[in-house]
Amino acid sequence: MRDIRKRQILAAMIAALAIGTTYAQTLEVSGATTVQKRILEPGAGPLKAATGVEVKIYGPGTGRGMIALIDGKVPVAAAGESLEDAIESAKKAAADMGRTLNVPANLQYHEVATDNIVFVVHETNRVASLSKDQVKAILTGKISNWKQVKGPDLPIKVFAPASGQAVRAAVEKSVLEGAAFAPGTTEIRTALEQLKLTGSNPGALAPYSEAVVKESSEKIRIVPGTVIRRPLGFVTIGAPNPAAKKMIDFFNSPAGKKTNK
């Protein structure tokens, strides 16, 4: 009886350790700031409670997140665009770093939400709306003063995400359509820095994820008229590992969808 009891205790301890392992998984994810702010940060608590997966989040942008994935530094990249566009963002980010990128053939994209990219000005700028053609003319430098679009008599200052970021890639594809940003454009590495500059410059114009704008306390407002819709998701090399699959399944579930802002 004593030996049986010992074996029962040992079995219970092994089971407890197994449960502890199952419910204490850390998953590193690197990539899009929009996915970080809209999905991962608000969903981190519910995700851990439901699955035991705790996410460790890095937000250098889609391109650099894809590079981290391909380099084997993280098992999951967060993408603020389609897989095709995320690969292009990664190549541009790699070129800026002075390196080439060997893209695996078995990348998998896991969409979990959609997002709107909007154009933002300083809150004191009361320009009523901007059409796609007007935005393109501003970004390329053909329109340089807000009074040309029935706004205040102020020089326009364009703040753009740096090369390799998903928001920039979406603007280049959907608005610029092959044209280049004007030479005077200020390129910014992070969305938070870009928000601060936009909120402190009365002549500013900049593109952002709508979700990021709604969270910001900076002195900014969305200009109606031009909206770019895009997917948000995660990228893995081959099938996601068990922790990544739990995360992806959770954010595609009704409970996970409720955490999206």
Side-chain angles (χ1 to χ4, degrees):
M1 287 292 293
R2 190 173 297 173
D3 288 342
I4 293 173
R5 181 60 179 163
K6 285 182 179 179
R7 286 197 294 271
Q8 289 174 335
I9 292 172
L10 180 60
M13 290 174 65
I14 292 171
L17 286 172
I19 292 172
T21 301
T22 300
Y23 289 96
Q25 302 174 80
T26 299
L27 179 67
E28 293 186 308
V29 181
S30 180
T33 305
T34 300
V35 177
Q36 174 187 350
K37 294 296 181 182
R38 179 177 163 185
I39 296 171
L40 291 173
E41 289 183 356
L47 170 67
K48 185 177 180 181
T51 67
V53 174
E54 183 173 2
V55 287
K56 189 172 183 180
I57 308 162
Y58 307 95
T62 295
R64 289 177 180 265
M66 290 287 290
I67 291 172
L69 170 69
I70 292 168
D71 286 348
K73 295 179 180 178
V74 295
V76 183
E81 54 195 331
S82 68
L83 178 58
E84 178 185 0
D85 291 337
I87 291 171
E88 288 305 309
S89 291
K91 290 178 179 178
K92 289 179 181 178
D96 286 346
M97 297 164 67
R99 54 171 288 188
T100 57
L101 195 66
N102 295 318
V103 180
N106 60 335
L107 292 176
Q108 292 188 11
Y109 188 85
H110 314 273
E111 183 175 331
V112 296
T114 57
D115 181 52
N116 291 331
I117 294 172
V118 294
F119 289 85
V120 171
V121 297
H122 191 272
E123 68 176 10
T124 59
N125 185 342
R126 307 316 299 176
V127 63
S129 66
L130 290 173
S131 69
K132 177 181 170 181
D133 287 343
Q134 287 174 321
V135 172
K136 183 176 181 178
I138 291 171
L139 299 184
T140 56
K142 292 179 180 179
I143 293 176
S144 58
N145 193 296
W146 283 110
K147 68 181 179 181
Q148 294 173 262
V149 287
K150 299 181 180 180
D153 186 5
L154 280 173
I156 298 174
K157 182 63 178 175
V158 175
F159 296 106
S163 180
Q165 295 193 36
V167 170
R168 182 189 180 103
V171 172
E172 289 176 334
K173 183 176 182 179
S174 299
V175 177
L176 290 177
E177 299 172 316
F181 280 96
T185 301
T186 300
E187 296 188 357
I188 313 297
R189 284 290 175 192
T190 70
L192 293 179
E193 182 184 356
Q194 190 178 347
L195 284 165
K196 288 179 181 178
L197 287 171
T198 306
S200 62
N201 191 317
L205 177 74
Y208 296 97
S209 160
E210 187 174 23
V212 172
V213 175
K214 288 180 177 178
E215 278 195 356
S216 176
S217 59
E218 301 294 337
K219 296 178 179 181
I220 57 177
R221 75 176 186 91
I222 296 171
V223 179
T226 303
V227 177
I228 304 169
R229 290 176 174 81
R230 61 173 176 161
L232 301 178
F234 300 102
V235 182
T236 58
I237 299 176
N241 67 27
K245 188 175 188 310
K246 288 179 183 179
M247 178 189 72
I248 292 163
D249 288 346
F250 174 77
F251 286 122
N252 271 319
S253 71
K257 295 292 185 186
K258 288 180 180 178
T259 67
N260 292 347
K261 294 184 178 180

